[in-house]
Amino acid sequence: MMNKSGHPHGMRHPHGLGKPIDYNENPYIVIWEVTRACQLKCVHCRADAQLQADPRELTTAEGLKLIDNIYEMNNPMLVFTGGDCLMREDLFDLADYAVKKGMRVSMTPSATANVTKEKMERAKEVGLSRWGLSLDGPTPEIHDHFRGTPGSFDLTLEKIQYLNELNMPLQINTVISRYNYDHLEEMAQLVGELGAVMWYIFLLVPTGRGQMDDCISPAEHEKVFRWLYELSKTAPYDIKTTAAQHYRRVVLQQKAREHLIEKGDINYSDTMTMDQTRMMDGLKRAPKGVNDGNGFAFVSHIGDVVPSGLLPIVAGNIRETPLAEIYRESKVFKDLRQPDNYKGKCGVCEYNKICGGSRSRTYAVTGDYMESEPFCLYIPEAMRHKETTV
């Protein structure tokens, strides 16, 4: 996904230093699940969150060492998540330490009674760059059912009001599923009315409490992506997607259509070559998409390192092996950084280096993280050519 300045997410250093990131060496972003303690019971929860903290959680000292290790990997973005990250008592000490090192830090707490105005003020003092709060429906009925907690919708709006009063940037996270698919127009309007700077869209991955029946269909994925692209032209906020890598393909396809229509070429195809896409939207190179294990790493509450929170294959533990070594040398991470080795159509797709499909969803559905994205309708050019010559 490209931001409104025309630069693709995942290509340059997060601090804008202009240095390209080699994803074989360093991630663009690291998510640290600081705790699994949480008061909500969300139907999609990958973490199977619990009311009490796990006694095996990383200690403060281990957390500070982890932050040092992350910083040394070309200083990627760092996100504190959970469970509910605010249920960790030393959270702001950890954040303060990271921010003072020059790291860009944000967090995604659950909208519970733990989110007080005092804690928001503390976060602002520390220098947390953004708060992400989840809103999964435009009404209490939809959101509260999805979050498994009555009153969660109203509480979330209250917390958002606090953030706006403090002039803190707001990111709204939404999981698109059967629960809210028919209400996305209302959601988009609400996100704007609430003053969000970013709408962060997650396409449901059937893992943890999330189930296959709750996922929208491949055709509905495509419809959502095309709608999001049109919305991105006029929305007062940026739109970013997770577990929706094929949105990048749709963005390029739509831009290709517009580019060729503008030129008066009525015989345009659905796709463009990578050389053609480099010339679009002011891009000097094809966008390089972050994917599970490829520019992205997730550290669990007990130090396990996985390609993402939704792809639960443990590649190592930071208590035993440095994060950099796990990220650079483990088999699963190295496999995931070889999109040409993906199986089926993902392996031959001309978009596999900017898309690659959701490796998490692929694993959840097929049990093989190298298989093809099961919720993508697109047929690559190579396969279309093969079909016409048989």
Side-chain angles (χ1 to χ4, degrees), residues 38-45 49 51 145-149 209:
C38 185
Q39 296 174 351
L40 301 182
K41 298 178 181 178
C42 305
V43 296
H44 71 293
C45 183
L51 289 175
H145 177 70
F146 192 70
R147 290 286 154 183
T149 307
R209 294 187 188 132

Side-chain angles (χ1 to χ4, degrees), residues 110-159:
S110 302
T112 68
N114 282 328
V115 181
T116 64
K117 199 165 186 178
E118 290 71 28
K119 287 184 178 178
M120 290 182 177
E121 290 172 340
R122 172 70 174 136
K124 187 174 183 179
E125 290 171 5
V126 166
L128 287 171
S129 58
R130 180 178 299 169
W131 274 56
L133 290 172
S134 293
L135 198 60
D136 296 294
T139 65
E141 291 76 17
I142 297 171
H143 174 85
D144 291 358
H145 177 70
F146 192 70
R147 290 286 154 183
T149 307
S152 177
F153 180 85
D154 291 337
L155 196 60
T156 300
L157 294 191
E158 177 185 298
K159 306 311 177 186

Side-chain angles (χ1 to χ4, degrees), residues 60 91 120 178 240:
T60 301
L91 179 68
M120 290 182 177
R178 284 264 160 253
K240 194 174 186 300

Side-chain angles (χ1 to χ4, degrees), residues 2 71-72 104 107 125 207 248 312 332 344 381 385:
M2 283 155 284
Y71 176 79
E72 290 164 3
R104 184 178 175 189
M107 63 180 180
E125 290 171 5
T207 186
R248 302 169 191 149
V332 61
E381 286 184 343
H385 178 72

